[in-house]
Amino acid sequence: MARSGSSDGYVAETTPKQGHVVFFLCDSRRAVIFLDTFAVIFYLICIAFYGWQTAIDFQGDFNGVDSITDNHWIVIAFLFVGLLCASLGLSGARNYNQCFSFTASLWYGLSFLMNFFTMNIPNAILMFVLAYPHIVFYYEVKEGTMSGENYQNEVYCCV
């Protein structure tokens, strides 16, 4: 325990930071909130784009659905699952919820593996950048390092 004093003679005990700093920028909770906010916006834009593209592909002909349109629906389904998991990760970070954080990290981890093995390296890197803070946050909440009671000791941001 470190002791910090003020000008009026009051001495308060503070606990030194025990949590991890993600990418040398901020604590894991703040990183998860920032990245999941970005992910939710990204997923919404992609869903709108693919929905619009699918509507253009139909061009009023609902009798013959070709393989391109079928692929659009698969992509839209994956985007909705990604949106759900990003929203769960965001909620998990705001409420220190292990289950939500684990769900988001599992989705990003599986997306990383899928992109890596299909040689989609830019998306694999993006999914790793999204998965890493979620995994760190999950373990910090699990160990009790990160909680609502001690977040004041763990907060860190270089900005």
Side-chain angles (χ1 to χ4, degrees):
M1 290 277 207
R3 297 179 80 84
S4 62
S6 63
S7 61
D8 62 358
Y10 175 75
V11 176
E13 292 189 12
T14 59
T15 306
K17 179 170 176 43
Q18 298 175 6
H20 189 75
V21 176
V22 178
F23 301 123
F24 306 105
L25 296 175
C26 54
D27 60 87
S28 61
R29 180 177 183 251
R30 192 171 293 200
V32 168
I33 290 172
F34 173 76
L35 290 174
D36 276 341
T37 302
F38 164 76
V40 165
I41 293 168
F42 175 77
Y43 282 124
L44 287 172
I45 290 171
C46 288
I47 288 168
F49 172 75
Y50 275 103
W52 176 70
Q53 187 64 36
T54 302
I56 288 176
D57 286 346
F58 273 132
Q59 295 178 358
D61 181 20
F62 292 99
N63 295 329
V65 177
D66 61 357
S67 63
I68 295 174
T69 306
D70 289 341
N71 289 341
H72 281 233
W73 290 113
I74 292 170
V75 170
I76 290 172
F78 272 98
L79 290 171
F80 268 111
V81 172
L83 176 64
L84 174 67
C85 290
S87 300
L88 286 174
L90 186 59
S91 176
R94 294 185 47 83
N95 300 318
Y96 304 97
N97 187 312
Q98 280 181 314
C99 184
F100 287 175
S101 180
F102 180 75
T103 303
S105 63
L106 184 64
W107 170 256
Y108 292 133
L110 290 174
S111 296
F112 165 75
L113 291 174
M114 182 184 70
N115 284 302
F116 181 77
F117 288 122
T118 59
M119 301 304 289
N120 190 348
I121 302 302
N123 278 349
I125 292 170
L126 177 64
M127 290 301 124
F128 175 80
V129 167
L130 288 168
Y132 178 70
H134 286 83
I135 294 168
V136 170
F137 179 74
Y138 170 77
Y139 280 109
E140 286 183 353
V141 171
K142 183 178 179 181
E143 294 173 354
T145 305
M146 186 70 69
S147 68
E149 293 80 33
N150 66 354
Y151 183 67
Q152 299 80 14
N153 299 328
E154 299 300 321
V155 67
Y156 177 82
C157 190
C158 72
V159 189

